[in-house]
Amino acid sequence: MHYCNVDMLQLFMLAGIYSGCACLAVTVILLALQQLPSERSKARCGGCTRTSCSLRLLASTFLHLRDRRQLLLIPITMFSGLEQAFFASDYMQAFVTCPLGSWWVGYVAICYGVVDAICSASFGKLVQYFGRIPFFILGAAINVSLVIAFLTINVTQDRVYIYFVFAGLWGMADAVWQTQINALYGVLFIANGEAAFSNYRLFESIGFIMAFGYQSHLILPIKAYILLTFLCLGMAGYGILEYLERKNKDWHLNGTS
């Protein structure tokens, strides 16, 4: 599939607006947000400087990779970054900008964001009743179905609504990954949360970098297959992790009974 050309003035305008909002957000955080270090951080750092505390956190981040649970979560964490980048770059370019025009990008993005926000709030409550596993399966099923649809459908202007449906479904799947992967890290690594979430952001960012790095060098089917590969590896790692955690839990219960 070949990407169409976009007016460079519009492209630079959108990039400028995005960059300006990002800079404004960073400025507001630096000026208005009060740093509230946790008691655990205070106890860990003691009287050391901020630089030495940062170095300790960096070291603990890489030492945390010795935990096999963290290793099992790496593929699904990288997929979280890959799928966001795939939607933002490849879907928007190939399935919105080319067939519909660049002026539709904002409307499709709004649909994606609204569904993502609603589902994120809803899944956080529903998981208390159904558990994590059904939502991981739901997210994977949606992403696999959509990627197959992307590879088989013909891009056309006749059915505009289908692009909004795809965006909404992708937002629903993204809500699963953003809420449940975060929650899983919080549940598994209570004693070492800072290092765990540092690894979460590290590998999610690697997924972003990979996707945007090869975005202009690979054709869409290859990028879709890469996405599916990381999804399969991630779900396999998650399944093994759930099995090990349940096995350890049963072992502890039987040992104390």
Side-chain angles (χ1 to χ4, degrees):
M1 180 176 297
H2 298 285
Y3 295 140
C4 59
N5 294 322
V6 182
D7 183 20
M8 294 304 296
L9 178 61
Q10 292 182 348
L11 180 63
F12 286 122
M13 182 182 298
L14 290 173
I17 293 173
Y18 179 84
S19 301
C21 292
C23 293
L24 179 61
V26 173
T27 303
V28 171
I29 291 175
L30 292 175
L31 297 179
L33 184 64
Q34 182 181 3
Q35 185 177 5
L36 298 174
S38 63
E39 294 298 326
R40 185 181 299 155
S41 298
K42 292 179 181 178
R44 183 182 302 167
C45 292
C48 66
T49 63
R50 179 175 298 180
T51 301
S52 60
C53 286
S54 299
L55 292 176
R56 287 187 182 183
L57 178 59
L58 178 63
S60 64
T61 298
F62 289 102
L63 290 175
H64 187 67
L65 291 173
R66 296 181 299 180
D67 192 329
R68 66 178 180 179
R69 298 174 300 174
Q70 176 61 68
L71 296 178
L72 289 171
L73 284 174
I74 287 176
I76 197 68
T77 306
M78 292 181 64
F79 170 78
S80 174
L82 286 167
E83 60 91 10
Q84 293 179 73
F86 180 88
F87 179 84
S89 59
D90 296 294
Y91 178 79
M92 286 298 189
Q93 189 174 33
F95 294 94
V96 178
T97 302
C98 287
L100 303 180
S102 58
W103 52 88
W104 282 94
V105 170
Y107 299 114
V108 175
I110 290 173
C111 177
Y112 165 83
V114 169
V115 174
D116 200 334
I118 294 174
C119 290
S120 294
S122 302
F123 292 163
K125 298 294 183 181
L126 294 175
V127 75
Q128 301 175 11
Y129 303 100
F130 300 101
R132 291 188 302 267
I133 295 178
F135 288 95
F136 272 86
I137 295 175
L138 173 65
I142 292 175
N143 280 133
V144 170
S145 301
L146 288 176
V147 170
I148 293 175
F150 296 159
L151 294 174
T152 55
I153 67 169
N154 294 321
V155 180
T156 177
Q157 296 180 345
D158 297 336
R159 296 176 295 175
V160 175
Y161 69 90
I162 197 67
Y163 303 107
F164 288 88
V165 173
F166 286 164
L169 289 173
W170 200 275
M172 182 183 296
D174 182 69
V176 172
W177 309 127
Q178 300 310 312
T179 58
Q180 300 313 307
I181 295 178
N182 271 285
L184 188 58
Y185 270 82
V187 170
L188 292 176
F189 308 113
I190 299 176
N192 200 14
E194 290 181 347
F197 280 99
S198 295
N199 275 283
Y200 170 72
R201 290 303 178 189
L202 171 65
F203 288 104
E204 185 183 43
S205 299
I206 291 175
F208 273 109
I209 294 171
M210 286 179 54
F212 285 115
Y214 59 62
Q215 194 270 337
S216 59
H217 301 286
L218 300 177
I219 60 175
L220 183 65
I222 300 299
K223 289 180 279 189
Y225 294 142
I226 293 174
L227 193 67
L228 289 178
T229 300
F230 272 92
L231 177 56
C232 293
L233 292 174
M235 289 300 293
Y238 168 70
I240 295 172
L241 180 61
E242 284 284 359
Y243 170 76
L244 293 176
E245 287 299 304
R246 290 172 184 269
K247 182 179 179 181
N248 291 335
K249 186 176 181 180
D250 292 339
W251 183 84
H252 286 301
L253 290 175
N254 293 333
T256 55
S257 59

Tab-separated table of all heavy atoms in Angstrom, residues 157-196:
chain	number	residue	atom	x	y	z
A	157	GLN	N	-13.540	5.572	-0.027
A	157	GLN	CA	-14.242	6.700	0.573
A	157	GLN	C	-15.734	6.441	0.729
A	157	GLN	O	-16.459	7.283	1.249
A	157	GLN	CB	-14.042	7.955	-0.298
A	157	GLN	CG	-12.607	8.433	-0.388
A	157	GLN	CD	-12.482	9.667	-1.268
A	157	GLN	OE1	-13.379	10.002	-2.019
A	157	GLN	NE2	-11.350	10.347	-1.173
A	158	ASP	N	-16.204	5.292	0.285
A	158	ASP	CA	-17.650	5.032	0.275
A	158	ASP	C	-18.225	4.883	1.676
A	158	ASP	O	-19.331	5.332	1.956
A	158	ASP	CB	-17.939	3.773	-0.548
A	158	ASP	CG	-17.537	3.949	-2.007
A	158	ASP	OD1	-17.475	5.107	-2.456
A	158	ASP	OD2	-17.261	2.935	-2.678
A	159	ARG	N	-17.477	4.220	2.567
A	159	ARG	CA	-17.985	3.958	3.917
A	159	ARG	C	-17.088	4.645	4.937
A	159	ARG	O	-16.176	4.040	5.495
A	159	ARG	CB	-18.044	2.457	4.175
A	159	ARG	CG	-19.026	1.712	3.266
A	159	ARG	CD	-18.957	0.219	3.507
A	159	ARG	NE	-17.653	-0.343	3.133
A	159	ARG	CZ	-17.309	-1.607	3.338
A	159	ARG	NH1	-18.158	-2.440	3.916
A	159	ARG	NH2	-16.113	-2.044	2.956
A	160	VAL	N	-17.364	5.910	5.179
A	160	VAL	CA	-16.538	6.700	6.086
A	160	VAL	C	-16.651	6.178	7.513
A	160	VAL	O	-15.677	6.165	8.272
A	160	VAL	CB	-16.940	8.184	6.016
A	160	VAL	CG1	-16.162	9.001	7.038
A	160	VAL	CG2	-16.725	8.722	4.610
A	161	TYR	N	-17.834	5.701	7.874
A	161	TYR	CA	-18.066	5.291	9.261
A	161	TYR	C	-17.151	4.157	9.697
A	161	TYR	O	-16.839	4.031	10.893
A	161	TYR	CB	-19.525	4.855	9.440
A	161	TYR	CG	-19.886	3.572	8.728
A	161	TYR	CD1	-19.754	2.334	9.370
A	161	TYR	CD2	-20.343	3.584	7.410
A	161	TYR	CE1	-20.085	1.158	8.711
A	161	TYR	CE2	-20.662	2.413	6.755
A	161	TYR	CZ	-20.538	1.203	7.406
A	161	TYR	OH	-20.840	0.049	6.762
A	162	ILE	N	-16.709	3.320	8.738
A	162	ILE	CA	-15.902	2.160	9.107
A	162	ILE	C	-14.584	2.579	9.736
A	162	ILE	O	-14.052	1.893	10.624
A	162	ILE	CB	-15.664	1.252	7.873
A	162	ILE	CG1	-15.201	-0.141	8.318
A	162	ILE	CG2	-14.645	1.872	6.940
A	162	ILE	CD1	-16.234	-0.929	9.044
A	163	TYR	N	-14.046	3.729	9.312
A	163	TYR	CA	-12.780	4.193	9.878
A	163	TYR	C	-12.954	4.651	11.318
A	163	TYR	O	-12.034	4.527	12.130
A	163	TYR	CB	-12.214	5.315	9.013
A	163	TYR	CG	-12.019	4.898	7.571
A	163	TYR	CD1	-12.857	5.356	6.564
A	163	TYR	CD2	-11.012	4.010	7.223
A	163	TYR	CE1	-12.689	4.966	5.253
A	163	TYR	CE2	-10.834	3.605	5.900
A	163	TYR	CZ	-11.679	4.084	4.927
A	163	TYR	OH	-11.535	3.681	3.631
A	164	PHE	N	-14.135	5.162	11.644
A	164	PHE	CA	-14.430	5.539	13.030
A	164	PHE	C	-14.655	4.295	13.886
A	164	PHE	O	-14.269	4.256	15.057
A	164	PHE	CB	-15.656	6.447	13.080
A	164	PHE	CG	-15.414	7.825	12.549
A	164	PHE	CD1	-15.572	8.112	11.202
A	164	PHE	CD2	-15.015	8.843	13.408
A	164	PHE	CE1	-15.346	9.378	10.711
A	164	PHE	CE2	-14.795	10.127	12.925
A	164	PHE	CZ	-14.954	10.395	11.574
A	165	VAL	N	-15.287	3.277	13.303
A	165	VAL	CA	-15.484	2.016	14.035
A	165	VAL	C	-14.136	1.385	14.360
A	165	VAL	O	-13.896	0.940	15.493
A	165	VAL	CB	-16.355	1.049	13.210
A	165	VAL	CG1	-16.407	-0.318	13.894
A	165	VAL	CG2	-17.762	1.613	13.047
A	166	PHE	N	-13.245	1.343	13.371
A	166	PHE	CA	-11.912	0.789	13.600
A	166	PHE	C	-11.181	1.573	14.692
A	166	PHE	O	-10.534	0.984	15.567
A	166	PHE	CB	-11.096	0.818	12.308
A	166	PHE	CG	-11.506	-0.218	11.307
A	166	PHE	CD1	-11.119	-0.122	9.980
A	166	PHE	CD2	-12.276	-1.310	11.689
A	166	PHE	CE1	-11.485	-1.088	9.052
A	166	PHE	CE2	-12.657	-2.285	10.764
A	166	PHE	CZ	-12.259	-2.166	9.447
A	167	ALA	N	-11.266	2.898	14.634
A	167	ALA	CA	-10.578	3.726	15.631
A	167	ALA	C	-11.147	3.498	17.024
A	167	ALA	O	-10.401	3.414	18.006
A	167	ALA	CB	-10.695	5.203	15.250
A	168	GLY	N	-12.480	3.389	17.125
A	168	GLY	CA	-13.092	3.138	18.420
A	168	GLY	C	-12.692	1.787	18.996
A	168	GLY	O	-12.397	1.662	20.194
A	169	LEU	N	-12.661	0.758	18.139
A	169	LEU	CA	-12.253	-0.570	18.603
A	169	LEU	C	-10.791	-0.582	19.024
A	169	LEU	O	-10.426	-1.223	20.022
A	169	LEU	CB	-12.498	-1.597	17.500
A	169	LEU	CG	-13.959	-1.939	17.214
A	169	LEU	CD1	-14.069	-2.842	15.988
A	169	LEU	CD2	-14.610	-2.605	18.423
A	170	TRP	N	-9.938	0.128	18.273
A	170	TRP	CA	-8.527	0.196	18.666
A	170	TRP	C	-8.379	0.926	19.995
A	170	TRP	O	-7.541	0.562	20.835
A	170	TRP	CB	-7.710	0.895	17.586
A	170	TRP	CG	-6.240	0.596	17.677
A	170	TRP	CD1	-5.302	1.223	18.443
A	170	TRP	CD2	-5.532	-0.445	16.970
A	170	TRP	NE1	-4.074	0.657	18.271
A	170	TRP	CE2	-4.186	-0.369	17.366
A	170	TRP	CE3	-5.912	-1.415	16.049
A	170	TRP	CZ2	-3.204	-1.233	16.879
A	170	TRP	CZ3	-4.943	-2.278	15.561
A	170	TRP	CH2	-3.616	-2.175	15.971
A	171	GLY	N	-9.195	1.954	20.211
A	171	GLY	CA	-9.179	2.644	21.496
A	171	GLY	C	-9.636	1.746	22.631
A	171	GLY	O	-9.105	1.815	23.743
A	172	MET	N	-10.607	0.870	22.359
A	172	MET	CA	-11.048	-0.081	23.377
A	172	MET	C	-9.922	-1.042	23.749
A	172	MET	O	-9.690	-1.322	24.937
A	172	MET	CB	-12.258	-0.870	22.874
A	172	MET	CG	-12.819	-1.864	23.882
A	172	MET	SD	-14.207	-2.825	23.210
A	172	MET	CE	-15.402	-1.503	22.938
A	173	ALA	N	-9.213	-1.557	22.741
A	173	ALA	CA	-8.097	-2.455	23.021
A	173	ALA	C	-6.978	-1.724	23.760
A	173	ALA	O	-6.380	-2.267	24.701
A	173	ALA	CB	-7.570	-3.047	21.720
A	174	ASP	N	-6.699	-0.491	23.346
A	174	ASP	CA	-5.658	0.280	24.022
A	174	ASP	C	-6.009	0.523	25.487
A	174	ASP	O	-5.124	0.545	26.351
A	174	ASP	CB	-5.444	1.615	23.308
A	174	ASP	CG	-4.339	2.438	23.932
A	174	ASP	OD1	-3.163	2.034	23.812
A	174	ASP	OD2	-4.639	3.467	24.559
A	175	ALA	N	-7.297	0.696	25.772
A	175	ALA	CA	-7.723	0.874	27.166
A	175	ALA	C	-7.379	-0.348	28.008
A	175	ALA	O	-7.016	-0.230	29.183
A	175	ALA	CB	-9.228	1.149	27.220
A	176	VAL	N	-7.485	-1.534	27.403
A	176	VAL	CA	-7.100	-2.760	28.117
A	176	VAL	C	-5.626	-2.720	28.470
A	176	VAL	O	-5.229	-2.939	29.626
A	176	VAL	CB	-7.409	-4.006	27.265
A	176	VAL	CG1	-6.830	-5.253	27.924
A	176	VAL	CG2	-8.905	-4.163	27.064
A	177	TRP	N	-4.783	-2.431	27.462
A	177	TRP	CA	-3.336	-2.466	27.706
A	177	TRP	C	-2.896	-1.395	28.678
A	177	TRP	O	-2.073	-1.664	29.563
A	177	TRP	CB	-2.584	-2.325	26.373
A	177	TRP	CG	-3.049	-3.274	25.316
A	177	TRP	CD1	-3.455	-2.969	24.053
A	177	TRP	CD2	-3.163	-4.701	25.418
A	177	TRP	NE1	-3.827	-4.090	23.358
A	177	TRP	CE2	-3.655	-5.176	24.184
A	177	TRP	CE3	-2.913	-5.625	26.434
A	177	TRP	CZ2	-3.885	-6.531	23.931
A	177	TRP	CZ3	-3.153	-6.972	26.187
A	177	TRP	CH2	-3.617	-7.407	24.959
A	178	GLN	N	-3.430	-0.183	28.547
A	178	GLN	CA	-2.972	0.901	29.410
A	178	GLN	C	-3.407	0.723	30.859
A	178	GLN	O	-2.684	1.116	31.775
A	178	GLN	CB	-3.478	2.252	28.869
A	178	GLN	CG	-3.008	2.585	27.478
A	178	GLN	CD	-1.510	2.430	27.301
A	178	GLN	OE1	-0.723	2.905	28.119
A	178	GLN	NE2	-1.103	1.735	26.253
A	179	THR	N	-4.564	0.168	31.075
A	179	THR	CA	-5.031	-0.009	32.449
A	179	THR	C	-4.531	-1.301	33.074
A	179	THR	O	-4.021	-1.307	34.200
A	179	THR	CB	-6.568	0.015	32.505
A	179	THR	OG1	-7.101	-1.020	31.646
A	179	THR	CG2	-7.115	1.365	32.051
A	180	GLN	N	-4.618	-2.402	32.342
A	180	GLN	CA	-4.327	-3.701	32.938
A	180	GLN	C	-2.833	-3.989	33.056
A	180	GLN	O	-2.414	-4.644	34.006
A	180	GLN	CB	-5.029	-4.805	32.142
A	180	GLN	CG	-6.533	-4.667	32.107
A	180	GLN	CD	-7.113	-4.402	33.498
A	180	GLN	OE1	-6.843	-5.132	34.446
A	180	GLN	NE2	-7.909	-3.351	33.618
A	181	ILE	N	-2.035	-3.519	32.120
A	181	ILE	CA	-0.594	-3.722	32.260
A	181	ILE	C	-0.071	-2.891	33.427
A	181	ILE	O	0.746	-3.369	34.233
A	181	ILE	CB	0.136	-3.373	30.955
A	181	ILE	CG1	-0.278	-4.334	29.837
A	181	ILE	CG2	1.646	-3.437	31.152
A	181	ILE	CD1	0.361	-4.033	28.495
A	182	ASN	N	-0.534	-1.663	33.553
A	182	ASN	CA	-0.156	-0.848	34.704
A	182	ASN	C	-0.564	-1.513	36.011
A	182	ASN	O	0.215	-1.576	36.968
A	182	ASN	CB	-0.815	0.533	34.595
A	182	ASN	CG	0.043	1.526	33.838
A	182	ASN	OD1	1.020	2.032	34.349
A	182	ASN	ND2	-0.336	1.800	32.600
A	183	ALA	N	-1.803	-1.994	36.060
A	183	ALA	CA	-2.291	-2.639	37.269
A	183	ALA	C	-1.500	-3.903	37.579
A	183	ALA	O	-1.208	-4.204	38.747
A	183	ALA	CB	-3.773	-2.976	37.119
A	184	LEU	N	-1.125	-4.653	36.531
A	184	LEU	CA	-0.369	-5.887	36.728
A	184	LEU	C	0.997	-5.595	37.327
A	184	LEU	O	1.456	-6.304	38.237
A	184	LEU	CB	-0.218	-6.609	35.389
A	184	LEU	CG	0.375	-8.016	35.421
A	184	LEU	CD1	-0.460	-8.933	36.299
A	184	LEU	CD2	0.475	-8.589	34.007
A	185	TYR	N	1.658	-4.563	36.837
A	185	TYR	CA	2.941	-4.166	37.422
A	185	TYR	C	2.762	-3.779	38.891
A	185	TYR	O	3.586	-4.117	39.743
A	185	TYR	CB	3.532	-2.996	36.649
A	185	TYR	CG	4.416	-3.387	35.493
A	185	TYR	CD1	3.878	-3.725	34.260
A	185	TYR	CD2	5.794	-3.410	35.626
A	185	TYR	CE1	4.687	-4.081	33.190
A	185	TYR	CE2	6.614	-3.762	34.572
A	185	TYR	CZ	6.056	-4.097	33.349
A	185	TYR	OH	6.858	-4.462	32.292
A	186	GLY	N	1.702	-3.047	39.179
A	186	GLY	CA	1.482	-2.627	40.557
A	186	GLY	C	1.203	-3.783	41.496
A	186	GLY	O	1.619	-3.769	42.661
A	187	VAL	N	0.514	-4.807	41.004
A	187	VAL	CA	0.181	-5.967	41.835
A	187	VAL	C	1.392	-6.865	42.045
A	187	VAL	O	1.638	-7.365	43.145
A	187	VAL	CB	-0.981	-6.762	41.201
A	187	VAL	CG1	-1.172	-8.099	41.913
A	187	VAL	CG2	-2.270	-5.955	41.256
A	188	LEU	N	2.171	-7.076	41.002
A	188	LEU	CA	3.288	-8.020	41.068
A	188	LEU	C	4.497	-7.468	41.815
A	188	LEU	O	5.204	-8.217	42.498
A	188	LEU	CB	3.712	-8.423	39.660
A	188	LEU	CG	2.743	-9.276	38.847
A	188	LEU	CD1	3.284	-9.495	37.442
A	188	LEU	CD2	2.499	-10.608	39.523
A	189	PHE	N	4.742	-6.178	41.686
A	189	PHE	CA	5.991	-5.614	42.191
A	189	PHE	C	5.723	-4.547	43.256
A	189	PHE	O	6.179	-3.406	43.141
A	189	PHE	CB	6.807	-5.022	41.041
A	189	PHE	CG	7.007	-5.974	39.896
A	189	PHE	CD1	6.418	-5.733	38.663
A	189	PHE	CD2	7.771	-7.110	40.049
A	189	PHE	CE1	6.598	-6.607	37.599
A	189	PHE	CE2	7.954	-7.999	38.989
A	189	PHE	CZ	7.380	-7.747	37.765
A	190	ILE	N	4.996	-4.938	44.272
A	190	ILE	CA	4.662	-3.994	45.338
A	190	ILE	C	5.914	-3.525	46.066
A	190	ILE	O	6.062	-2.340	46.387
A	190	ILE	CB	3.672	-4.638	46.332
A	190	ILE	CG1	2.366	-5.015	45.620
A	190	ILE	CG2	3.397	-3.704	47.504
A	190	ILE	CD1	1.382	-5.731	46.510
A	191	ALA	N	6.837	-4.441	46.324
A	191	ALA	CA	8.024	-4.112	47.115
A	191	ALA	C	9.058	-3.319	46.315
A	191	ALA	O	9.937	-2.691	46.906
A	191	ALA	CB	8.656	-5.395	47.647
A	192	ASN	N	8.975	-3.360	45.003
A	192	ASN	CA	9.982	-2.676	44.167
A	192	ASN	C	9.288	-1.930	43.035
A	192	ASN	O	9.631	-2.093	41.857
A	192	ASN	CB	10.971	-3.705	43.617
A	192	ASN	CG	12.277	-3.073	43.181
A	192	ASN	OD1	12.577	-1.939	43.507
A	192	ASN	ND2	13.059	-3.812	42.413
A	193	GLY	N	8.309	-1.137	43.403
A	193	GLY	CA	7.473	-0.478	42.416
A	193	GLY	C	8.210	0.508	41.532
A	193	GLY	O	7.942	0.593	40.327
A	194	GLU	N	9.146	1.272	42.093
A	194	GLU	CA	9.834	2.286	41.300
A	194	GLU	C	10.636	1.656	40.172
A	194	GLU	O	10.568	2.098	39.024
A	194	GLU	CB	10.744	3.119	42.214
A	194	GLU	CG	9.996	4.026	43.170
A	194	GLU	CD	10.932	4.844	44.026
A	194	GLU	OE1	12.138	4.516	44.040
A	194	GLU	OE2	10.475	5.792	44.668
A	195	ALA	N	11.399	0.620	40.495
A	195	ALA	CA	12.192	-0.046	39.464
A	195	ALA	C	11.290	-0.738	38.448
A	195	ALA	O	11.580	-0.741	37.244
A	195	ALA	CB	13.129	-1.065	40.111
A	196	ALA	N	10.190	-1.316	38.910
A	196	ALA	CA	9.279	-2.017	38.004
A	196	ALA	C	8.657	-1.049	37.001
A	196	ALA	O	8.629	-1.326	35.790
A	196	ALA	CB	8.191	-2.724	38.811
